[in-house]
Amino acid sequence: HPAPATAPKAYHPSTSSVFTPLDTFLPRHIGPRSNDVEEMLSVLGYKSMDDFVDDTIPRGVRVQELTDTDDGGLRPLSELELRRRAEQVAAMNKEMKSYIGMGYHNAIVPPIIQRNVLENPAWYTAYTPYSPEQSQGRLESLINFQTIAISLTGLPIANASLLDESTACAEAMAMCLAAVPKAKFTKGKKVFLVSPSVAPQTMAVLETRASGFGIELKIAQSNQGFKEELEQLGEDKLMGVLVQYPDVNGEVGEWASTASKVKELGGKMVVATDLLALTMLTPPGEWGADIVCGNSQRFGVPMGYGGPHAAFFACTDELKRKMPGRLVGLSKDARGGPAYRLALQTREQHIRREKATSNVCTAQALLANMAAMYAVYHGPEGLRRIAGKVHSLTRVLAQSLTSLGFTITNKTFFDTLTIDVSTAGVSAQQVHATSVQAGINFRRIDETTIGVTLDESVGPLDLTDIVNVFYRVTKKADITPDVLDKLSQEMSLSAESVTETIGSGGRTSEFLKQSVFNKHHSETDMLRYMMSLQEKDYSLVHGMIPLGSCTMKLNSTSSMVPLSWKEFGGLHPFAPVDQAKGYTVMFEELERDLSLATGYDATSIQPNSGASGEFAGLKVIQAYHASRNQGHRDVCLIPLSAHGTNPASAAMVGYKVIPIKALTDGSLDLADLKDKAEKHKDNLAAFMVTYPSTFGVFEEGIEEACQIVHDNGGQVYVDGANCNSLIGLTSLGRVGGDVSHTNLHKTFSIPHGGGGPGVGPISCKAHLAPFLPGHPLITTGGEKAITAVSAAPWGSASINTISWAYIKMLGGSGLTNVSKIALLNANYIAERLRPYYNIRFKNKNGRVAHECLIDLAEFEKSAGLKVSDFSKRLQDYSFHPPTAQWPISTCWLIEPTESEPKHELDRFIDALISIRKEVDEVIAGEQPKDDNVFKNAPHPLAVLTDAEWTRPYSREKAVFPVSGLKRNKFWPSVSRVDDAAGDLNLICECGTVEEYA
Amino acid sequence: HPAPATAPKAYHPSTSSVFTPLDTFLPRHIGPRSNDVEEMLSVLGYKSMDDFVDDTIPRGVRVQELTDTDDGGLRPLSELELRRRAEQVAAMNKEMKSYIGMGYHNAIVPPIIQRNVLENPAWYTAYTPYSPEQSQGRLESLINFQTIAISLTGLPIANASLLDESTACAEAMAMCLAAVPKAKFTKGKKVFLVSPSVAPQTMAVLETRASGFGIELKIAQSNQGFKEELEQLGEDKLMGVLVQYPDVNGEVGEWASTASKVKELGGKMVVATDLLALTMLTPPGEWGADIVCGNSQRFGVPMGYGGPHAAFFACTDELKRKMPGRLVGLSKDARGGPAYRLALQTREQHIRREKATSNVCTAQALLANMAAMYAVYHGPEGLRRIAGKVHSLTRVLAQSLTSLGFTITNKTFFDTLTIDVSTAGVSAQQVHATSVQAGINFRRIDETTIGVTLDESVGPLDLTDIVNVFYRVTKKADITPDVLDKLSQEMSLSAESVTETIGSGGRTSEFLKQSVFNKHHSETDMLRYMMSLQEKDYSLVHGMIPLGSCTMKLNSTSSMVPLSWKEFGGLHPFAPVDQAKGYTVMFEELERDLSLATGYDATSIQPNSGASGEFAGLKVIQAYHASRNQGHRDVCLIPLSAHGTNPASAAMVGYKVIPIKALTDGSLDLADLKDKAEKHKDNLAAFMVTYPSTFGVFEEGIEEACQIVHDNGGQVYVDGANCNSLIGLTSLGRVGGDVSHTNLHKTFSIPHGGGGPGVGPISCKAHLAPFLPGHPLITTGGEKAITAVSAAPWGSASINTISWAYIKMLGGSGLTNVSKIALLNANYIAERLRPYYNIRFKNKNGRVAHECLIDLAEFEKSAGLKVSDFSKRLQDYSFHPPTAQWPISTCWLIEPTESEPKHELDRFIDALISIRKEVDEVIAGEQPKDDNVFKNAPHPLAVLTDAEWTRPYSREKAVFPVSGLKRNKFWPSVSRVDDAAGDLNLICECGTVEEYA
Ligand SMILES: Cc1ncc(COP(=O)(O)O)c(C=O)c1O
Ligand SMILES: Cc1ncc(COP(=O)(O)O)c(C=O)c1O
Ligand SMILES: O=C([O-])O
């Protein structure tokens, strides 16, 4: 690697010349070619792009377009320049080996998974599997993930991932609250008691979350006295407890009697744990835990300086309807065959809104799939062997250190030793200095204590390097690996050995006996398994995913490449920051660029989803009010059309949600807003508004609305999840926001991954900047930072490289052009469909924003067809259906994004026109209302081999309604999935060996 | 990167311990699990693997099994250890920027192509598209490649790639010979006149090839006097000419009148050229060339230290039936739709044998696909802009150097300058030293001359670095990029500018007007195009490819990863060897390991295919005989069952091929061999024999056969292309071979890439080692080296990393185990099919080797079914058919390899049993002989939507003959392809815009 430099060595010609790079990104990112753009503008009746934009975004709120200059703008890099710059930045990160533990471990990513899942657009460009007939592959993989959690924790229900271990613990805390009858708290206090040996980042996130729920968070004095403290607390205060197993210091506690006590006192028991350890430890589900969660990162996902990885979350059957996040369940399809789909959706924020158990929307699907594949590849025996080896090596380490005079303070352990170094006559500082010298990071606990956590990457040389740090610091000569090997032989250790040091009795129950975990252990087999799933899933590699409010745009390969490098993947989030200079530079640049693009002064990338950003932003507002002695403000105004996460987030910070109506033209009811703002002016905390609106228009009254709120003492939270059409043209700050989140997994090109990962950074005006979130272990955020909202200081750190690269390659004018084409593509669709469908909302010039609502209500009356019937039928045309049900239950919300080429837009329009004709056939009675191409849709391949065909339309019409499909078509793999049946009889783990045999 | 070290830092426990790595490769590579192995052995009636192996490979020829020890064995590395070792080796290569040219250029590989083609198992694990209904995707891509050659060269026919530019020129020379009537050469001499400014590596390869054909190779005195020399030569000697355009020194010659003269004299004109240059130059097809060929590497394929890349090859319509290599043509399928397939197969060596125009078999399909995708992505305008920029930058360079007093000796140029440095008062040595100091390689031509070739990777900083070498060497201060930018503006240059310096008049004809090159220019579109092709192709990701003699085994991700690194990809083959220490180490280790595994003393990896290895091996034998004054020996004995490349290669070295018969049990007819060996003992040059035999058995008489040959003065060439079942058990040297090639793309796990790349190293005994091939530019091979057989000193250098990794990860016992399981898998299939089919050959214990022949002859009589009908029907069962037609026309040759899991073998066996029952239905008359599941096979999806179904079997039976297929099936994308129709009316380029509009 070249020597790192802060600024890239570069020359940029001032005008176009032979030095202008040819591999510019903008034309690769944008679908329509320049002749297409002209044609589309003329369909819309415009001579120029400027005229079109003027009619679409009110001039009044426009800003100076972003430029490509260095001062105040963003200079674009070509794809090759970006590559070189990324290499330069990567080289600034220092490759050390970290044995810090605390929930993050070196992992061996099986190359086959790295290449065929993480780096495969067929996996990473998929959407959340809300269209189950086109998503059976990743639904199966997610149910494998759930099965892992179920099988290893010993609880019967698990979800398809949460954002990280700490937020998972916070979700668990909220779930306890929801599960425990309010009446119990006769003293008014609802106490959540936490073991003092829970990871500090989890403590911090719990603290951030507790107050909004009115929960009193209490850290127990000690683990020894935990039960006594519980008793003192008493039944009328105890809501729940959290312990960690093994704990952050490595101790494998004995918590069974505590669990009984918790139950006796009417509380719920939450356990944070480690999947690898559970292959050897008695599972918490077997000793009384109600909820068990943790991080699955060490199942083959890179640390990535803190994320992304998938948290797992399991609970008792009793609690299942309060489960946060997405849950995959088995159901059947219209032909009676097995079919997976997302279960119990009525729990989720998009349905329950402020009453939801959680605001979680985007989670960590891609990483859950990686972890699931890791378990499929290794199988139970492979996992047990890895765990056994890690544990045995830890025993060798313990023995070596003890013989040097160090004291291991934890009595039991799996992979972590807490070491009192003073007994060997040295200080933690000396050990630290020696270890860093050797390229190693340990956990520095206090002046005399060091923590070391081993993992599957530790080989003989690594362990010798670790041990030699302690030899050197005690002034002894280095040893060689054979010394340790000999020691291990003397101790009769192997990867298979079960051992007494593990504490709490070893695991006796079997795990992962299901066929899928016992079949694909050769690489050929594994590859075919992954491919067989991949082929069942529709993703951007097949065609448009016109999901309104989701911005399914190109996720370019160039922007995806750097995160695979070990310089980004290998860093522990709590490593000393001076080892992460590359990350620091990248974060600084990204935060600056995001602030510029959104019209704000400061940005924090800690939130690892849009919903997490909302919560963080509201917390920042809350802290701001408190700092001005306005801490009592607790009213939050939210339009009825807001995304479900908005009210759910507001509820989580303890705000009272008051809805604001919309006018019939879809715009905000300013009068209603004014009314309510004034009515609550003494308690008005915030107004949450989405811009452009969730109805797909640029709200004309947005400035006035913000003014009203400000005039009444409130702060404005602009939900910028959907700001793809405004970057460079106007800005969230410009229209009046105080703070916003943007979804980097939408506007800024991080792929959706089939339901995560995401990054939901918040950007804010200067007065809020001091409150941006901090972290207990690593300094970040403002001077008056709120406590952490995520486990890691920079959230899903590694994938920020994607948005960083995206912005760098587009530059200022590129970003602006992207917005324009996003607007053009949407308006082209709306215009061409206008003769056939009811475009629900347009602005006064007849323009929509970057998405449009098509109202299908009339067809329910005329033809008995619901939105879902249209969505299923669209699958037969080889499309993923648009967003449905929300923001209006009778509508489709369609967003093409700038990356769709014109011919794909035309294919979509032609499909919709053809569908409109099919509606007419139903209306005309040519197809019965209960037996037609809609009601029987989608038509998977299997229907074609039916010997008898009794439908009132031909086989050909069923599956090839337009002729282009014969050349190329994505086939749904099952018939219409029956949601009700699955919810009634919830099955969320995969079958056992016997069932498959 | 860590500091390079020659030996890896490592610790290997001597016995199994906690330090034994868990990520061992063997269990990932092998399909059957240990319980499967037991079950399979018991089906075969064995208690132990040893008993089975003893019955399969004669004890007499066995060797000590390969061990895992360091002395004499091969120590296995775990997957992670291999990764680290590969990083270490990679770091030993020095990253310089090479502007050496001579047919190799820095290329920008579009990331989307790198990830989705080069690194995608769906592309790289495919076989040569001989099963067209399952290969329409890559057939389309290869026809794109052909179209590029056709469109840019201006000739009407092009093939689907050759091995490299130099061998392509040699193939052209042979083609000229075949095309020119023998009667013409009244003086007996057949002269091929070559321009002196053809690349030296091409000269060398021509020299190697000429003698076998009886061609006199003549280097012209000069290009100026070329026409005069032609005339002197006269009609009765001139066979053909070769010129290079632009030539190796950069000159863009004017060759039109030479071409007329060649035609007048009855010869053929061959032109070596450059695709990028042809976007600006008048195409040779327009000024009289008969054959035009070259390297397509700069179309987005890494240099890889010499390979692999795809050579292109175009010719006039008159010559098409003499075309070497594979040719894709458009035909139609049974339903009348368009369908691609390999055309004019009767030209190929597998049909024509010693009468074939060429021995080429494996070519460079994967790299041809990459180059084709590059052109699809950039389109004609993009390519022209890249060329324009390269040319303009070259002009800026020329101007800068001239102003410093250097003299550009070529009057015209595209991208290459030949610089007389003496006029600026410096020596080439000084320039060289200064450039290397700056991290730059130029071409060193002689004491006073330097060559510089620019390419698309050259940016402002690169050009400035180049120019500054000349500033520094003339003791002037460095300049900055803006100086050159200003200069270019003064010269009014841009990527679009057409320029007078180009020579020969610029190109006036349009190119690449076809739709496919003008449509997919955004990344989303490109991705979908690639995926739409991928989905039409069967590959190892779908299931077994049981191709006998092809060894379609796992190509593991870990072994595929390193070749993507720039440390391996970025090196120019003619860079100073001290910059390629990593490669040197890797080659040394690989050659040593291959020698060990094959039982020989020395190895050369220069041959870049099996056929190329055969030719090289025979050349080595020829040189050996010559060195002992036995140069007259020219008889080569070859069994009738030999692979077509054997006789074709023998013919190419000028040997007379005399066939040897087989006995009815499939073994060599030793009496016939003895007879013929003795009869020809004065002229016996060689015996070529395949071991294990092409009939899939271990020849019992192999040792005796070798002895007979040796006794009669001949050398033994053992074709080791299929030696997957013997490594570690016996060896090619042990059974009596003097020299062998092995196919690294079979036994040693390089993926087939859909028809290449490959590596066909030759290994030999000590007496032949001095003759191993050399190279004119870089020292390699033996002390008495034959001239080069490939353009690059180490052939397809970069992909040797794959086999290197494969061997390293398996180690000695792993390689041996692989052989055993390969034998077991094949014997399991043979045993289970025995009740249903005629297994043609077995050894005396009833065992086959790693493949088996199933004779289907009886069914032609009883049911009117040919082998091809069986092959087409097998597609309906979601399999790729086995090798057919060869070695016996009525047989299938089936090879499962060790990587297939038992359940996949069972699926295959079940399919064959089911098919056997279907045969009975035809015999019983339940299905007519001319309308049955065979004759109508394969059944693509399209047949299912036929409204009327008139076949004598159900839709379900047609496509789901066994039930598992409903869960998972690969669908052929067209009906049976009509070969005859396509050959009759050869179309080998894709349609024009108009046809698609
Ligand atoms: C308008 C809006 N706000 C917030 C969110 C929540 O974002 P996330 O799914 O990343 O939590 C979404 C997600 O679709 C959204 O569309
Ligand atoms: C026995 C045998 N020899 C030689 C070859 C030629 O190898 P290649 O295709 O690499 O030229 C093959 C290829 O299939 C083969 O099977
Ligand atoms: O729910 C959504 O991800 O929009």
Side-chain angles (χ1 to χ4, degrees), chain A residues 419-592:
Chain A
I419 306 152
D420 180 348
V421 297
S422 66
T423 60
V426 300
S427 70
Q429 164 54 28
Q430 286 171 300
V431 177
H432 172 72
T434 312
S435 73
V436 168
Q437 198 72 36
I440 289 173
N441 292 318
F442 296 141
R443 177 178 172 218
R444 256 177 101 169
I445 300 175
D446 60 30
E447 257 87 275
T448 57
T449 324
I450 286 283
V452 181
T453 299
L454 302 190
D455 57 65
E456 68 163 326
S457 79
V458 177
L461 300 177
D462 305 300
L463 190 69
T464 311
D465 287 346
I466 293 170
V467 170
N468 278 332
V469 168
F470 295 91
Y471 272 79
R472 267 175 234 160
V473 81
T474 52
K475 311 254 185 293
K476 297 196 181 59
D478 278 14
I479 59 163
T480 47
D482 53 304
V483 178
L484 296 177
D485 196 4
K486 210 166 132 240
L487 176 59
S488 79
Q489 313 264 1
E490 284 161 16
M491 295 168 76
S492 323
L493 293 177
S494 76
E496 278 71 28
S497 52
V498 178
T499 134
E500 62 283 7
T501 43
I502 201 75
S504 90
R507 176 168 194 133
T508 53
S509 49
E510 292 189 310
F511 56 91
L512 300 181
K513 299 304 287 176
Q514 295 85 351
S515 162
V516 71
F517 298 107
N518 292 280
K519 204 170 160 189
H520 311 293
H521 299 167
S522 78
E523 185 170 334
T524 297
D525 219 321
M526 186 67 194
L527 180 62
R528 289 183 192 152
Y529 178 62
M530 294 191 300
M531 285 288 169
S532 73
L533 297 191
Q534 169 180 330
E535 285 175 358
K536 292 181 183 152
D537 285 14
Y538 188 98
S539 70
L540 285 177
V541 310
H542 298 104
M544 173 153 63
I545 303 184
L547 279 159
S549 198
C550 284
T551 317
M552 301 295 293
K553 60 166 68 175
L554 170 73
N555 315 116
S556 75
T557 314
S558 351
S559 67
M560 288 295 293
V561 164
L563 80 104
S564 285
W565 300 339
K566 59 184 187 310
E567 291 88 344
F568 287 117
L571 268 69
H572 192 288
F574 307 149
V577 283
D578 65 4
Q579 295 170 14
K581 292 223 176 78
Y583 267 115
T584 307
V585 166
M586 194 261 288
F587 294 156
E588 279 169 8
E589 292 185 3
L590 178 62
E591 288 176 358
R592 176 246 181 210

Side-chain angles (χ1 to χ4, degrees), chain B residues 345-558:
Chain B
Q345 287 195 45
T346 45
R347 295 163 303 120
E348 290 190 49
Q349 42 66 31
H350 65 264
I351 310 284
R352 302 249 312 157
R353 307 180 70 84
E354 65 271 24
K355 295 190 194 67
T357 38
S358 157
N359 72 342
V360 165
C361 179
T362 288
Q364 302 279 18
L366 187 67
L367 301 314
N369 287 329
M370 285 183 73
M373 290 297 183
Y374 177 92
V376 167
Y377 199 35
H378 286 300
E381 283 161 39
L383 293 173
R384 176 58 185 74
R385 224 176 297 123
I386 291 169
K389 176 172 175 171
V390 169
H391 180 60
S392 290
L393 291 178
T394 310
R395 288 193 61 195
V396 174
L397 178 61
Q399 182 65 40
S400 308
L401 299 190
T402 307
S403 70
L404 282 171
F406 294 94
T407 306
I408 311 299
T409 64
N410 46 327
K411 304 279 157 304
T412 58
F413 58 81
F414 164 60
D415 63 1
T416 296
L417 302 178
T418 297
I419 305 152
D420 180 348
V421 297
S422 66
T423 60
V426 300
S427 70
Q429 164 54 28
Q430 285 171 301
V431 177
H432 173 71
T434 312
S435 73
V436 168
Q437 199 73 34
I440 289 174
N441 293 318
F442 295 141
R443 177 177 172 218
R444 255 175 102 171
I445 300 176
D446 60 30
E447 258 87 277
T448 57
T449 324
I450 286 283
V452 182
T453 299
L454 302 190
D455 58 63
E456 68 164 326
S457 79
V458 176
L461 300 177
D462 305 299
L463 191 69
T464 311
D465 287 347
I466 293 171
V467 171
N468 277 333
V469 169
F470 294 91
Y471 272 79
R472 269 175 233 162
V473 80
T474 51
K475 311 254 185 293
K476 295 194 180 61
D478 278 13
I479 58 162
T480 48
D482 53 303
V483 177
L484 296 177
D485 196 4
K486 208 164 135 245
L487 176 58
S488 80
Q489 314 264 0
E490 284 162 15
M491 294 169 76
S492 322
L493 293 176
S494 77
E496 277 72 27
S497 51
V498 177
T499 134
E500 63 284 6
T501 43
I502 199 75
S504 90
R507 177 168 195 135
T508 52
S509 50
E510 292 188 311
F511 56 93
L512 300 182
K513 299 305 287 177
Q514 294 86 351
S515 162
V516 71
F517 299 107
N518 292 281
K519 204 170 160 188
H520 310 294
H521 298 168
S522 78
E523 185 169 336
T524 297
D525 218 320
M526 186 67 195
L527 180 63
R528 288 183 192 153
Y529 177 63
M530 295 192 301
M531 285 287 169
S532 74
L533 297 191
Q534 169 180 332
E535 285 175 358
K536 292 181 182 152
D537 285 14
Y538 188 98
S539 70
L540 285 176
V541 310
H542 298 103
M544 173 153 65
I545 303 186
L547 279 158
S549 199
C550 286
T551 318
M552 301 295 293
K553 60 166 66 177
L554 170 73
N555 315 116
S556 76
T557 315
S558 350

Side-chain angles (χ1 to χ4, degrees), chain A residues 326 359-362 549-550 609-612 614 643 645-646 690 694 719 721-722 741 743 745-746 886:
Chain A
R326 292 167 184 144
N359 72 342
V360 165
C361 178
T362 287
S549 198
C550 284
S609 75
S612 169
E614 291 171 22
H643 193 264
T645 48
N646 286 195
T690 305
T694 57
D719 180 332
N722 281 311
H741 78 277
N743 278 13
H745 44 305
K746 296 179 176 178
W886 176 83

